[in-house]
Amino acid sequence: MEPSTICLLVILISMILFMIPKIPILFTSIFATMALYFTGVSTANEAFSGFNSSATWFLIGMSLVSAAFFTTGLSDVVGTFLFRLTGGNQKRVSVTLYIIGAILSVFMSCLTVMIMFAPMIDAMVAKSGGRLNRKMS
């Protein structure tokens, strides 16, 4: 079978597996990488080179920071404070988050700020009692 056909099949199978909620995304990602390696489409160096990039390690580190904010309750504390500060008004919450995000983006990368804000916004939405939604505009 041609390598391009194998790649298309792996992509198709991966897309199907991504849509099944019972199968973890991590499993699907590793499956796709291993499938391309074992079918001979890519070498071991090509298949696993993405795991050694600085962007991958940066995302892993920022995900750990985000999980730490959520686990320690810091995101709940900050989210509740911002919710009270803005009076629960969705437009004021959005503008406040934009301003804080802009200030933090001067000192950190935009991705870092976004990853830090995600659990905080989830905490605000959960505690709002339906007054806020996740699609803040």
Side-chain angles (χ1 to χ4, degrees), residues 26-129:
L26 179 65
F27 171 78
T28 304
S29 302
I30 292 174
F31 158 76
T33 303
M34 298 301 286
L36 292 175
Y37 171 68
F38 284 121
T39 56
V41 173
S42 66
T43 64
N45 287 339
E46 293 170 341
F48 298 108
S49 65
F51 293 111
N52 197 25
S53 73
S54 59
T56 301
W57 289 107
F58 179 75
L59 286 172
I60 291 170
M62 288 294 78
S63 296
L64 290 173
V65 169
S66 178
F69 281 179
F70 186 76
T71 303
T72 60
L74 182 62
S75 60
D76 282 340
V77 171
V78 174
T80 303
F81 172 75
L82 285 175
F83 186 74
R84 286 187 189 144
L85 179 73
T86 59
N89 182 311
Q90 184 155 338
K91 289 190 188 233
R92 278 190 253 158
V93 169
S94 295
V95 170
T96 304
L97 288 174
Y98 295 153
I99 291 169
I100 293 170
I103 292 169
L104 288 176
S105 293
V106 171
F107 305 103
M108 300 183 229
S109 75
C110 296
L111 182 61
T112 306
V113 174
M114 188 272 309
I115 289 174
M116 285 173 36
F117 273 28
M120 186 173 54
I121 291 171
D122 275 349
M124 279 195 300
V125 170
K127 293 196 184 236
S128 72

